[in-house]
Amino acid sequence: MTLIDNAIYVQGHRVETPRSLDETYELLDAHDGFAWIGMYRPGPAELASVAGEFGLHPLAVEDALQGHQRSKVERYGDTLFVVLRPAHYDDELEHVDFGELHLFVGPRFVVTIRHAESPNLAAVRQRLEHQPELLELGPEAVLYAILDRVVDEYEPVVAGIENDIDEIEDQLFGDSDDDALSRRIYELFGEVISFGRAVQPMAGMLEWLRRGYEKYDVDLEVQRNLRDVLDHVIRIADRIDGFRALLDKALTVHSALVARRQTEANLAQNDEIKKISSWAAIIFAPGLIAGIYGMNFENMPELHWEYGYPLAVGGMGVFAVALWVIFRKKKWL
């Protein structure tokens, strides 16, 4: 269903719950309050109806219909168009799922358009209805409460990413599959960058809103609340910058450790080759002498010489010991 919740508020209290957009327009004219229309993936007809009633700018309506927008705030006359990117962290997959929320905020209306399940605007509405003194401040109070909810939902994402970074730091100096760890660091780095794209524009958005407080006569209490949201956003943005730096260092350290392990493996392999080559040379010298005198040619004077055998055996031993000493000094053995 496109229309999720629909109400008219007067002095901080829900006075009407219209069942259709047309009924909302009629009842709003009869009350000195504002309407809060909550929609989920509305079609062109529903958006055209709202746009025609409240005079929404065609460019903003087109953005709200198509979705896939970056976080931003735009003003068209006395109407604000706000795009927010709520986030949810899937710890098992180490993946940040992003939603998309559009808001039209005017003097007598708030239109919220969700393109995903998050955030839970029913909880925001319930909170405000239990705080009539805040809801009485009008559409700007609704904007604040939604911003506050979206930013609050960033905290579990921050905690999830921080936990995964701690695990990666433990794996760096432990026993782990190098390829799998490299992939994990790289993919988490990408998630952090995407998260930053959702969060970091919000600081500029809230600063931009702050500059219009006097001009648009924003209530002082709403100003204070929005300033608190801005402080929260700045803290989260700083954490994200820290995560990016940590993961960048983790990639560098991991590359260095992999290179060192590869070098050590090559050195160990070279040592083995040296040992094998040394013993092969030691065995080769006696084998060469034995092979020559094992040919049994008739014209070999040494075969009939009295000292031929001891000299051949002694020569084999001398060659073998001499080579062993040489290779030992070179630390090949």
Side-chain angles (χ1 to χ4, degrees), residues 37-317:
I37 301 170
M39 310 178 82
Y40 179 73
R41 293 181 178 174
E46 290 88 354
L47 270 180
S49 172
V50 172
E53 177 66 23
F54 298 124
L56 305 181
H57 196 280
L59 289 177
V61 173
E62 183 181 351
D63 285 347
L65 186 61
Q66 292 179 352
H68 304 291
Q69 302 294 313
R70 60 180 177 81
S71 300
K72 63 179 181 178
V73 58
E74 296 171 344
R75 183 176 286 280
Y76 298 94
D78 58 359
T79 300
L80 285 173
F81 175 57
V82 182
V83 179
L84 301 174
R85 299 300 306 276
H88 167 75
Y89 193 62
D90 188 326
D91 191 56
E92 185 177 346
L93 298 177
E94 294 184 3
H95 177 70
V96 184
D97 295 315
F98 295 99
E100 189 167 344
L101 175 64
H102 298 173
L103 295 88
F104 291 95
V105 183
R108 297 194 65 202
F109 64 88
V110 177
V111 179
T112 55
I113 300 169
R114 286 192 296 118
H115 288 271
E117 297 303 319
S118 180
N120 184 2
L121 293 185
V124 177
R125 194 185 289 261
Q126 186 177 22
R127 170 197 168 188
L128 286 172
E129 289 180 353
H130 282 84
Q131 294 180 281
E133 69 283 356
L134 180 58
L135 190 54
E136 188 178 3
L137 300 179
E140 290 91 352
V142 177
L143 174 60
Y144 148 69
I146 292 173
L147 286 167
D148 189 50
R149 177 73 183 195
V150 169
V151 174
D152 282 347
E153 290 187 359
Y154 288 153
E155 282 294 348
V157 180
V158 171
I161 292 174
E162 186 173 38
N163 181 67
D164 289 329
I165 290 175
D166 288 342
E167 291 177 1
I168 284 171
E169 288 176 340
D170 291 338
Q171 285 182 295
L172 273 176
F173 300 100
D175 249 350
S176 62
D177 183 303
D178 288 334
D179 290 340
L181 184 55
S182 295
R183 189 181 306 111
R184 184 181 187 188
I185 297 172
Y186 182 78
E187 289 176 353
L188 190 59
F189 194 88
E191 296 299 324
V192 170
I193 290 174
S194 298
F195 186 37
R197 288 179 186 147
V199 175
Q200 288 162 340
M202 290 187 68
M205 292 163 58
L206 288 160
E207 283 286 355
W208 185 86
L209 289 172
R210 185 183 61 80
R211 291 194 291 270
Y213 287 167
E214 277 191 34
K215 181 177 180 180
Y216 295 99
D217 194 28
V218 177
D219 185 88
L220 181 60
E221 189 62 27
V222 174
Q223 293 182 35
R224 290 170 178 162
N225 289 330
L226 286 172
R227 187 164 59 246
D228 182 67
V229 175
L230 174 59
D231 291 343
H232 198 176
V233 168
I234 291 172
R235 287 198 301 272
I236 292 174
D238 288 343
R239 296 285 296 281
I240 292 171
D241 288 339
F243 291 158
R244 292 176 66 173
L246 282 171
L247 288 169
D248 186 51
K249 288 179 181 177
L251 276 173
T252 302
V253 170
H254 182 56
S255 298
L257 289 173
V258 169
R260 190 186 75 180
R261 282 196 284 266
Q262 187 63 46
T263 301
E264 290 174 350
N266 289 339
L267 289 174
Q269 186 177 29
N270 288 341
D271 288 342
E272 291 299 319
I273 292 172
K274 288 176 181 178
K275 287 180 182 179
I276 294 170
S277 301
S278 299
W279 285 115
I282 291 170
I283 294 170
F284 174 74
L288 177 64
I289 296 173
I292 292 173
Y293 288 101
M295 290 185 290
N296 294 322
F297 287 116
E298 288 186 9
N299 191 19
M300 291 183 71
E302 295 87 350
L303 292 177
H304 306 287
W305 185 34
E306 181 180 356
Y307 302 104
Y309 174 75
L311 186 63
V313 172
M316 293 180 192

Side-chain angles (χ1 to χ4, degrees), residues 8-25:
I8 293 174
Y9 298 93
V10 177
Q11 295 182 348
H13 297 279
R14 182 192 285 245
V15 296
E16 301 283 358
T17 305
R19 291 172 294 180
S20 67
L21 291 175
D22 290 336
E23 187 179 352
T24 303
Y25 309 148

